[in-house]
Amino acid sequence: MRIATAKETYIADEGLLVTSTQRAWMGVLLAMLVLAPFVLNQYWLYLACLVAINVASATGLNILTGFTGLVSLGQAAFMAVGAYTVAFFEGQVGMPFLLNILAAGLVSALVGVLVGIPSLRVKGLYLAIATIAASVILHFVFTHWVSVTGGVRGINVAPARLFGLELASPFALYFVIVPITCLMVLGAANLFRTRIGRAFIAIRDRDISAEVLGIPLLRYKLMSFALSSFYAGVAGGMWAYFFRVVTPESFPFATSIFFLAAVIVGGLGTIIGSVLGAAFMTLVPELLKYVVDWLAPIFPNAGAALSPVRTIVFGALIILFLVFEPHGLAEMVRRARRFFHLWPFRT
């Protein structure tokens, strides 16, 4: 019987150490999420809910683009479908909050399947253009189907109610938005331990080889579109309850660019990248506001320059991460974790 070397023993021990460390950090994160609404003010609770909504949508886009290799620029349109679904069922049918959120995801998933049908024949840039075309069509529907969407005036959404309690403030909504997002992120993380998740990755790496291995491409590509759209629909439903009004201009094409930037900056093909990227890109404008406030005594017109600067920052971040860190923030976190695990043993 071969005796394990010291290096092999250390690697095994390190694996156990990493697992226990990850569990410890998960416990710390859970405690922080529970305590956050009792510590943060209304403004930061507003940002926390917005980050959670964006994390949910970015996770869905990462399933499609990062793990399956299908480029989509229609995430904002799928969110709009979910938001309008919630607004319609809440106002016209009076369905409960959780059923509305579920319906938003299911309707968006159905629309995502229809949009994903061309994915068997086209890919890359052509598929991205197809999703843009779908976004334009959906925007036209939102604007002109007045009896359902309210046209350009949109629809006002009543406050969410759960177990007889009205959820109108960021403090109250935090306790439903953040848990739903956590469940969605956890579900996405476990998805890629299953046969379906591994099929998505095989299609991303080389779809022809995946087909030779017996993976039905159309079925799994449509499944990926459906899952991604489901996540976007749920995020859009939460967005509708959060902002209480839905119009065709609530989800512009720039929002789709925002989510693509989030998954690129965070790290394509990583669940933690979706979380980090969405949080980072959501908080960047707030950091810019602090910079503007700091510059206001020196440059009185600094506030007027904030809007174009935000767009420039988004574009610059995508370029910088593509050039200097194509694997995104997730890779930076991985390197930092590896460094702190290994530094006592470096020679």
Side-chain angles (χ1 to χ4, degrees):
M1 181 178 65
R2 190 174 69 88
I3 300 176
T5 64
K7 182 177 181 180
E8 291 172 338
T9 303
Y10 165 68
I11 291 174
D13 292 341
E14 183 194 10
L16 294 174
L17 179 62
V18 170
T19 301
S20 61
T21 303
Q22 288 175 341
R23 290 176 179 173
W25 278 112
M26 288 297 294
V28 171
L29 177 61
L30 181 61
M32 291 175 61
L33 291 176
V34 172
L35 294 175
F38 303 101
V39 177
L40 301 177
N41 58 30
Q42 289 293 310
Y43 175 71
W44 285 104
L45 281 176
Y46 162 85
L47 287 180
C49 292
L50 188 58
V51 167
I53 293 171
N54 290 340
V55 165
S57 187
T59 302
L61 182 60
N62 217 348
I63 291 174
L64 181 65
T65 301
F67 287 97
T68 316
L70 302 175
V71 181
S72 172
L73 290 173
Q75 197 72 353
F78 298 133
M79 285 186 67
V81 172
Y84 274 109
T85 301
V86 161
F88 177 80
F89 282 118
E90 179 68 37
Q92 302 297 325
V93 183
M95 285 173 51
F97 165 73
L98 292 179
L99 286 181
N100 286 337
I101 294 294
L102 180 60
L106 293 176
V107 173
S108 296
L110 178 60
V111 175
V113 169
L114 297 177
V115 174
I117 290 176
S119 64
L120 183 64
R121 296 295 182 183
V122 297
K123 64 176 72 173
L125 179 61
Y126 300 100
L127 181 60
I129 294 174
T131 58
I132 294 175
S135 299
V136 174
I137 294 172
L138 288 172
H139 186 274
F140 180 85
V141 172
F142 300 147
T143 304
H144 292 86
W145 197 4
V146 180
S147 61
V148 175
T149 65
V152 295
R153 299 181 61 181
I155 307 177
N156 292 322
V157 182
R161 299 188 68 87
L162 187 64
F163 304 120
L165 300 175
E166 185 175 279
L167 310 176
S169 66
F171 177 84
L173 285 169
Y174 179 93
F175 290 99
V176 293
I177 291 177
V178 172
I180 290 174
T181 298
C182 290
L183 289 175
M184 295 171 71
V185 171
L186 183 62
N190 285 281
L191 172 67
F192 297 98
R193 300 177 182 178
T194 67
R195 178 173 56 86
I196 295 175
R198 290 192 292 268
F200 289 167
I201 296 173
I203 293 172
R204 178 197 64 188
D205 292 341
R206 188 170 292 274
D207 55 354
I208 296 177
S209 300
E211 189 174 23
V212 170
L213 292 173
I215 297 175
L217 296 185
L218 181 60
R219 181 194 303 174
Y220 281 99
K221 285 183 178 182
L222 293 183
M223 195 179 298
S224 181
F225 261 101
L227 279 172
S228 176
S229 302
F230 179 85
Y231 273 62
V234 171
M238 294 190 293
W239 190 99
Y241 277 119
F242 188 62
F243 288 100
R244 305 271 301 280
V245 62
V246 184
T247 69
E249 304 306 320
S250 299
F251 301 94
F253 179 69
T255 304
S256 294
I257 301 297
F258 170 88
F259 286 113
L260 184 61
V263 297
I264 292 175
V265 171
L268 284 168
T270 61
I271 298 300
I272 190 175
S274 305
V275 178
L276 296 176
F280 184 78
M281 297 300 289
T282 303
L283 296 177
V284 162
E286 305 309 315
L287 297 177
L288 290 177
K289 289 180 182 178
Y290 281 107
V291 172
V292 169
D293 293 339
W294 180 69
L295 294 175
I298 305 174
F299 303 101
N301 296 325
L306 177 62
S307 180
V309 166
R310 175 181 175 179
T311 304
I312 293 172
V313 168
F314 283 166
L317 284 172
I318 295 175
I319 295 173
L320 289 174
F321 274 92
L322 284 174
V323 173
F324 297 104
E325 187 51 84
H327 297 292
L329 293 170
E331 179 62 22
M332 297 173 64
V333 171
R334 192 177 297 114
R335 288 178 182 175
R337 187 177 64 187
R338 188 183 306 121
F339 172 80
F340 285 109
H341 284 160
L342 297 178
W343 73 265
F345 305 95
R346 292 167 67 94
T347 58

